[in-house]
Amino acid sequence: MHEPRGKDDLILSVEDLAVHFPVGGGLLGRNRRMLRAVDGVDLNLKRGECLGLVGESGSGKSTVALSILGLLAPTRGRIVLDGQVITGRPSGDRKALARIVQMVFQDPYASLNPRQTVRRTLEDPLRVHGVTARSEIEDRVATMLRHVGLRPEQADRYPHEFSGGQRQRIGIARALILNPRIVICDEPVSALDVSIRAQIINLLLELKDTLGLSYIMISHDLGVVEHMSDRVAVMYLGRIVENGDWREIFERPAHPYTRALIAAIPDPLHHAPLATTGGDLPNPLNPPNGCAFSPRCRYAEDLCRHEPGPVLETRPDGHAVRCWRSEEIAGQAAMASGDNGHTQA
């Protein structure tokens, strides 16, 4: 389940991505400040792979996704999508980009037009992209509905006639109707009942294999990420603080933030988190000196409070971490995991 399918070549490369927004400053902009929503992110995605992108709300995950989709212009950096550099291209190229990458949204109630039937929802993208033969459109709509576990005769119904899980299946069908190579899943099960989540996760995994898709799975729920991902990248305050193979991340987390997130996964025996991350995410307009996580970190020392974490460099084992005390923390995590099967914060 966690082994990448297909070739090992990259389908997506994100290099030094930054997205900054000017905030305040009045009419003349004299006191304008910069919100660094994303600040120097590097990511790679291989064909047939699922990359989990995790972090708290406000960490920059969705901003990265919108940049990859071409909906936000980066302040700096480069995005290479299926061999094409998409940064700096005209906004009109969004149409061509839509054939490569699509998105499954979090809320199936808000992401579907209540005035459109399922058929219209799936047919419109095909027409926009030049599919005009009625027989081809009907065949592709029927095939896609079957792929997501719905019946073709349900195509003439409206969204309110479906359950939440069925609506999300429609959202997945809409994302896949143009046969994209990459699908970004932005919290695709967080708005669903617990009983339905496993069905949607299993559907996404099945479609990934059947259609040869590559996924970016955005979530704050590490339980979902652990189940689906081949690799995991952890974001904090606009930066990647750790990335690597899913097993290495979950069994030997080397950044204290990653360790706290994993410790907060609910214990199935007690139905409650083992631990929580203390404090709140800092104000991105006024980030802390040194390591951004230091005000919330139990391992922080003077070096952490005055110097940013070391450059994020991938080691030969594929594990990369931005922390001065990563080796010590990883060793403690490995011992804790070996003792009781859970990483303690």
Side-chain angles (χ1 to χ4, degrees), residues 41 50 168 195 223 322:
V41 163
C50 179
Q168 193 60 300
S195 60
R322 190 190 301 271

Side-chain angles (χ1 to χ4, degrees), residues 190-212:
S190 63
L192 303 177
D193 292 341
V194 174
S195 60
I196 305 299
R197 292 181 185 180
Q199 296 178 21
I200 299 300
I201 290 171
N202 290 334
L203 172 64
L204 288 169
L205 289 171
E206 179 183 335
L207 291 169
K208 176 173 171 287
D209 290 341
T210 303
L211 303 178

Side-chain angles (χ1 to χ4, degrees), residues 119-194:
R119 185 182 305 281
R120 176 74 181 275
T121 296
L122 299 183
E123 286 182 349
D124 279 356
L126 295 174
R127 291 197 180 94
V128 168
H129 287 266
V131 179
T132 56
R134 185 68 206 174
S135 59
E136 183 180 354
I137 290 175
E138 290 179 352
D139 287 345
R140 289 177 68 167
V141 169
T143 298
M144 191 52 62
L145 287 174
R146 292 190 188 98
H147 273 315
V148 300
L150 297 173
R151 301 188 308 276
E153 54 266 29
Q154 293 176 293
D156 293 314
R157 297 182 183 178
Y158 289 87
H160 72 269
E161 299 180 74
F162 294 90
S163 67
Q166 289 174 320
R167 292 188 198 192
Q168 193 60 300
R169 290 173 187 267
I170 296 167
I172 294 169
R174 179 180 57 187
L176 298 180
I177 197 68
L178 293 176
N179 298 321
R181 300 172 185 86
I182 299 173
V183 177
I184 300 175
C185 303
D186 191 359
E187 303 277 8
V189 298
S190 63
L192 303 177
D193 292 341
V194 174

